[in-house]
Amino acid sequence: MPLVTTTEMFEKAYKGGYAIGAFNVNNMEIVQGIVDAGKAEQSPLILQVSAGARKYAKHIYLVKLVEAALQDSEDLPIALHLDHGDSFQICKDCIDGGFTSVMYDGSHLDFEENIKITKQVVDYAHAHGVVVEAELGRLAGVEDDVNVSDKDARFTDPEQAVEFVERTGVDSLAIAIGTSHGAYKFKGDPYLDFDRLEKIGNLLPNFPIVLHGASSVLPEFVKKCNEFGGNIPGAQGVPEEMLRKAATMAVCKINIDTDLRLAMTASVREFLQKNPSEFDPRKYLGPARSAIQGMVQHKIKDVLGSSHKI
């Protein structure tokens, strides 16, 4: 099966009360772990690439890894998505370079400028059969090339969301309702503004909403990282029951990156500390790949609800 867009995925997810996992990829083992999880659970997948990942691994390597995953996964629906594209040019490069979905992130701009550039991206993407995600409202936190302070973060205004979608023709919208990027998402009790999400869903019926910064920062991986030499005190993510609730509402795409990093790093740290004489990368990257697969299968089954939905 060739790469697909997210259109059919989101239509089914909205009607079925579940969400599609959008997992960030940076290298071969991460791609393999995610895709093996998708195969095991018979779940559609979104493999997403950040600007930082393109700098690290190069665009062509990531595309070819995903093409290999397609051949290895037979009939598994997979979309290749640009995460947090910060310019028209990077979106164009990814559209021209084989991506089936792109995100233009103009959330740092004023409302009119965000609309202007998002519309430019939408017009180019739709002419090439590619779908577009945009963002309205800003998420705090640090992850990859995204760095937003608490004072600069702001929740999405529901009425503005309607105007934004109507004027840009965007295919999905990332909103800010309390999630944040990175491993330190909440200083106090976790909170998501479900009333705001419900209002946006009512104003934009059947329109797919996206949650960024939605890793749960699973305690077992944080504990293992710290146990084997890490220093990640006070890390806290979005409780999985909150994400499951959001997936039964208007949220059709949930982004997960930090949990992948923690699962991989915890596994590598454990192996190297227990096997100090080992220097074969295959010996520690193999278990790390398995850790990613197990974590992604858990997300698909217990959080996203997308198991056996192809």
Side-chain angles (χ1 to χ4, degrees):
M1 176 183 284
L3 284 168
V4 300
T5 70
T6 56
T7 302
E8 185 177 352
M9 289 184 186
F10 289 167
E11 287 176 357
K12 291 180 177 179
Y14 202 106
K15 293 176 183 176
Y18 61 91
I20 309 298
F23 301 97
N24 284 69
V25 297
N26 298 280
N27 63 16
M28 182 185 75
E29 286 78 13
I30 294 175
V31 171
Q32 289 175 329
I34 296 166
V35 173
D36 286 347
K39 287 194 293 184
E41 296 302 325
Q42 287 294 283
S43 169
L45 295 170
I46 299 169
L47 301 181
Q48 58 184 27
V49 174
S50 66
R54 290 177 83 241
K55 291 175 186 175
Y56 170 76
K58 296 184 180 179
H59 177 106
I60 188 65
Y61 282 88
L62 292 168
V63 170
K64 293 304 179 183
L65 282 171
V66 173
E67 288 178 2
L70 287 169
Q71 293 185 34
D72 185 48
S73 62
E74 297 177 354
D75 295 329
L76 198 67
I78 297 176
L80 178 57
H81 174 75
L82 169 66
D83 189 27
H84 287 289
D86 62 0
S87 68
F88 171 80
Q89 188 60 50
I90 190 174
C91 292
K92 181 180 182 298
D93 290 345
C94 289
I95 292 164
D96 295 342
F99 283 51
T100 55
S101 176
V102 296
M103 180 208 178
Y104 172 66
D105 182 0
S107 61
H108 58 289
L109 303 172
D110 66 50
F111 185 64
E112 290 298 328
E113 188 67 11
N114 191 358
I115 286 177
K116 177 183 174 182
I117 302 178
T118 300
K119 181 68 164 59
Q120 185 183 9
V121 173
V122 168
D123 289 346
Y124 188 82
H126 286 182
H128 292 78
V130 173
V131 295
V132 180
E133 172 188 328
E135 183 167 346
L136 192 62
R138 303 201 71 192
L139 275 65
V142 179
E143 188 171 87
D144 215 350
D145 284 357
V146 180
N147 189 336
V148 179
S149 66
D150 287 343
K151 68 181 179 64
D152 291 327
R154 58 181 182 269
F155 281 12
T156 303
D157 178 85
E159 282 76 17
Q160 272 197 337
V162 175
E163 182 181 352
F164 186 89
V165 169
E166 290 176 347
R167 291 176 62 186
T168 61
V170 74
D171 301 286
S172 62
L173 184 67
I175 63 171
I177 59 169
T179 58
S180 64
H181 293 288
Y184 302 91
K185 299 185 185 300
F186 302 99
K187 294 178 180 177
D189 293 333
Y191 167 78
L192 293 186
D193 192 340
F194 286 107
D195 290 340
R196 187 178 301 267
L197 173 58
E198 183 178 28
K199 185 171 184 180
I200 292 171
N202 289 336
L203 290 172
L204 291 168
N206 300 310
F207 186 83
I209 298 300
V210 177
L211 278 190
H212 283 235
S215 284
S216 298
V217 189
L218 295 166
E220 60 262 38
F221 295 125
V222 175
K223 180 181 178 182
K224 185 178 286 190
C225 280
N226 291 335
E227 181 181 351
F228 293 103
N231 183 25
I232 316 174
Q236 184 179 197
V238 184
E240 291 185 333
E241 60 271 19
M242 289 188 178
L243 296 174
R244 186 72 199 99
K245 179 178 178 179
T248 66
M249 299 171 71
V251 172
C252 295
K253 174 176 179 274
I254 291 179
N255 287 16
I256 297 169
D257 187 7
T258 298
D259 282 339
L260 294 165
R261 300 181 185 196
L262 287 170
M264 187 170 212
T265 301
S267 176
V268 171
R269 282 190 176 278
E270 179 182 24
F271 181 90
L272 291 178
Q273 190 168 118
K274 289 182 175 179
N275 302 274
S277 64
E278 189 58 72
F279 55 88
D280 183 345
R282 295 170 297 183
K283 295 293 181 64
Y284 54 81
L285 290 177
R289 177 176 56 197
S290 296
I292 286 175
Q293 179 181 346
M295 188 276 293
V296 173
Q297 283 191 242
H298 160 67
K299 294 289 185 180
I300 288 171
K301 287 188 295 185
D302 302 325
V303 182
L304 302 166
S306 64
S307 186
H308 298 285
K309 293 293 194 285
I310 64 172

